[in-house]
Amino acid sequence: MIIPKTREEIELMRESALLVSKTLGMIAGEIKPGVTTLQLDKLAETFIRDHQAIPGFLGLYGCPSTLLTSVNDQVVHGLPTDRPIQEGDIVSVDCGVIKNEFYGDHAYTFEIGDVAPETKKLLQVTKESLYVGIREFKIGNRVEDVGNAIQKYAEGHGYGVVRELVGHGLGRKMHEEPEMPNYGKRGRGKLFIEGMVVAIEPMINMGTRNIKHLKDGWTISTRDGKPSAHFEHDVAIVDGKPELLSTFQYIYQALGIQSDEENEFRKQALVL
């Protein structure tokens, strides 16, 4: 059952989402060659607790970490390790928090130093596909309208769209209905309603869409060993249209990037 949120609940969820965004912004200033993902995990846990919130992943389904850090060919759910990040890596950092009894859930794939041009393009297209999908999250549309838009955009650039892993509804639980696949046929799936909040998160592979599970029981990687990218936003339907609750602007501020990509999904400018 889809659980719509009131305007007051959406504002509480915005606080949760923005704390995750701020956490990733902090990580953006720390992630560099020589740093380990375990170090980043400790920083993130401290940052979240210092902001009077609880790490959303830690302990969820037995997860042992605050962050999930997926490097290069790892798609999602990579566990932090003591392996130093290297020049040319890409690292997808997925983070969740619980604040005001609501979850925030947000992910960004970082470039570490000088990344190969073909990998840069994968990240660019994956992030663009996220916004292509968000545009379809509105009254009158259905779940697979979002997935279809993402799939067409990513496959149109020759990439593989992961099928086994999906976005999801978000609220007092990390995973609520509906599931939000990144593929599908237009006109299928549950109808969107006012007050819905979902996490939309394309997971796009440079090569095959096929994946494999590693022995740690968490990490999922591409079957062909080629890179994968993952970007995620929390989005609500407000007055029939998609409205972002999370933001990449804290990341961009840390990295010195100027972007207006989120403007169409905000009623007013975000105050950083």
Side-chain angles (χ1 to χ4, degrees), residues 31-155:
I31 192 167
K32 61 192 69 172
V35 173
T36 72
T37 49
L38 267 176
Q39 290 173 312
L40 297 177
D41 187 66
K42 299 292 186 186
L43 289 171
E45 180 177 357
T46 299
F47 186 88
I48 290 167
R49 294 192 189 280
D50 284 349
H51 284 78
Q52 293 73 54
I54 301 169
F57 293 171
L58 187 61
L60 183 69
Y61 311 127
C63 180
S65 58
T66 293
L67 299 178
L68 293 171
T69 53
S70 306
V71 182
N72 296 330
D73 65 324
Q74 295 174 357
V75 181
V76 287
H77 300 167
L79 295 181
T81 71
D82 58 4
R83 168 195 178 272
I85 297 168
Q86 299 178 12
E87 179 84 13
D89 283 345
I90 57 171
V91 184
S92 298
V93 180
D94 196 353
C95 181
V97 306
I98 307 170
K99 186 176 175 65
N100 306 315
E101 300 184 354
F102 286 98
Y103 277 90
D105 183 18
H106 194 34
Y108 189 89
T109 302
F110 292 92
E111 300 177 17
I112 310 302
D114 190 15
V115 171
E118 60 270 24
T119 304
K120 279 180 173 286
K121 183 181 177 184
L122 170 68
L123 270 58
Q124 176 186 339
V125 170
T126 302
K127 182 149 65 72
E128 289 170 353
S129 78
L130 170 61
Y131 294 112
V132 166
I134 290 171
R135 289 188 189 102
E136 299 298 322
F137 182 56
K138 58 187 177 182
I139 295 297
N141 279 4
R142 295 179 178 271
V143 163
E144 291 193 28
D145 293 332
V146 172
N148 177 265
I150 292 170
Q151 179 184 8
K152 281 189 172 180
Y153 193 81
E155 290 182 350

